[in-house]
Amino acid sequence: GPGSKAAQTAIPVALTVNGVEKKVDIAPWTTLLDLLRDEIGVTGTKEGCGTGDCGACTVLLNGKPVNSCLILSGELNGADIVTIEGLKI
């Protein structure tokens, strides 16, 4: 019946991080910040305030700067992410 898939909360997400394709199964409410740090191991992106005010977690999402603490993984399939590690400075 309805709700029988409650245990299957993870969704497959394929994204590119710093030019490398990554595929993860992750809960859709996981933030991009947690995805990067915990699932992919890219730790240069930091959580400061957690509310999108401070900018410590900024990454490029499809070329635009975003606060990764506010972006949910459910919207990231096919996204191109560049973190501080991937910036050519």
Side-chain angles (χ1 to χ4, degrees):
S4 59
K5 291 189 174 171
Q8 298 176 303
T9 48
I11 56 166
V13 175
L15 68 169
T16 303
V17 178
N18 299 331
V20 181
E21 279 193 38
K22 302 284 185 181
K23 289 191 167 77
V24 293
D25 289 322
I26 195 153
W29 55 84
T30 304
T31 63
L32 172 54
L33 175 67
D34 289 340
L35 170 68
L36 290 170
R37 290 180 62 84
D38 301 339
E39 300 296 320
I40 296 176
V42 175
T43 56
T45 305
K46 309 288 187 202
E47 177 162 6
C49 64
T51 56
D53 292 325
C54 76
C57 67
T58 302
V59 299
L60 295 178
L61 169 59
N62 299 326
K64 297 192 171 135
V66 298
N67 291 314
S68 62
C69 71
L70 299 180
I71 308 286
L72 297 181
S73 333
E75 16 184 335
L76 292 174
N77 204 41
D80 181 58
I81 308 292
V82 178
T83 70
I84 186 77
E85 287 91 345
L87 290 177
K88 307 291 186 281
I89 300 174

